[in-house]
Amino acid sequence: MRIAVIKPCCIGDAVMSLPALDALALDHPDATTDVYTGRHSVSVYATRSAALRICEIPDIPRPRDVPAISSMIRRGRYDLVVLLDRSRLLRL
């Protein structure tokens, strides 16, 4: 199983997302998880499981960034995508 977690910004929010990642890992122990996050939050996820891959996206995505982000996610052919952000743009 392949899982994508999207949490672009900010460091505190990234820290608060770690229990959600832990829960996903418990529920899907054989899954690989890609975290889409901004460069300021990369260090938060860098210490996590080896099954976690970090994909850098803009900290604060703008409308012009959405096609590239969307394309990255579609290429991943994920079984589950979790958006941990209130961004209307990223919901698209």
Side-chain angles (χ1 to χ4, degrees):
M1 178 173 205
R2 293 183 42 78
I3 301 171
V5 175
I6 306 166
K7 185 63 195 134
C9 177
C10 300
I11 292 174
D13 290 349
V15 170
M16 295 299 289
S17 75
L18 294 177
L21 285 175
D22 292 342
L24 283 169
L26 283 172
D27 286 347
H28 307 285
D30 296 330
T32 56
T33 303
D34 295 349
V35 176
Y36 290 83
T37 191
R39 69 180 172 94
H40 290 101
S41 300
V42 166
S43 62
V44 172
Y45 299 109
T47 60
R48 302 312 275 188
S49 162
L52 192 71
R53 188 175 74 123
I54 300 167
C55 306
E56 194 172 313
I57 60 173
D59 284 305
I60 301 173
R62 296 181 209 156
R64 69 173 187 233
D65 301 321
V66 172
I69 294 169
S70 176
S71 179
M72 287 172 59
I73 293 168
R74 271 191 244 124
R75 277 194 311 268
R77 297 182 182 253
Y78 297 102
D79 300 297
L80 175 65
V81 177
V82 179
L83 175 61
L84 298 175
D85 202 85
R86 296 179 304 178
S87 169
R88 286 185 222 151
L89 285 174
L90 292 177
R91 277 189 280 178
L92 294 173

